[in-house]
Amino acid sequence: MTVPYRILLALAALVILLAMLRKIRKSEMRISDSLFWLFFVITLIVLALFPEIAFFFSGLLGIESPANLVFLYVIALLLIREFASTVELSRLRGKVITLAQEEALKDVESAEGAENPHREER
């Protein structure tokens, strides 16, 4: 990996770290969610400071360039994160649908109760 590429990698990691800290400070991100990004930033900084790691793994995996290994690592990690986010989003959508249905049933029951005050309770 060239020196400019290593510098760019370290700067990008620091920008991600600063953005993450800003979101945490503004309470726009939970600390538990920021652990992934902290891990991501630390690994990028380690790869920038110790390019021998990228050279070792690129040779081990048969990847022609250590820079390609870094790209592969970033893409793979972000795909894993996207999958986890999709699973969480699907779970939350299910909860929203259930809550909306429960609220609609409560509204219907209260409207029926208001129309017929002498109606027996179930």
Side-chain angles (χ1 to χ4, degrees):
M1 288 193 305
T2 64
V3 174
Y5 181 72
R6 290 172 52 199
I7 292 171
L8 179 65
L9 190 61
L11 288 175
L14 290 175
V15 167
I16 293 170
L17 179 64
L18 292 174
M20 179 186 63
L21 292 174
R22 186 170 181 242
K23 292 291 184 184
I24 291 172
R25 197 172 316 124
K26 288 184 168 188
S27 298
E28 294 176 1
M29 177 187 251
R30 295 182 315 187
I31 293 176
S32 61
D33 290 334
S34 67
L35 291 177
F36 166 81
W37 293 105
L38 183 62
F39 170 76
F40 185 65
V41 165
I42 289 171
T43 58
L44 290 180
I45 290 173
V46 167
L47 285 173
L49 295 177
F50 304 105
E52 300 83 24
I53 296 170
F55 279 98
F56 172 76
F57 282 108
S58 64
L60 185 69
L61 298 172
I63 298 173
E64 191 171 319
S65 168
N68 289 345
L69 175 81
V70 173
F71 289 136
L72 177 65
Y73 168 72
V74 168
I75 290 168
L77 202 61
L78 291 177
L79 280 174
I80 291 168
R81 178 65 178 173
E82 177 63 21
F83 178 74
S85 294
T86 301
V87 169
E88 178 72 9
L89 182 62
S90 294
R91 186 180 65 77
L92 291 174
R93 281 183 180 159
K95 282 186 175 184
V96 166
I97 289 170
T98 301
L99 286 171
Q101 290 171 344
E102 288 174 0
E103 285 299 313
L105 286 174
K106 285 179 187 177
D107 289 347
V108 167
E109 288 175 357
S110 66
E112 287 176 354
E115 289 175 3
N116 190 0
H118 299 294
R119 185 175 159 221
E120 291 184 26
E121 293 294 321
R122 295 181 206 176

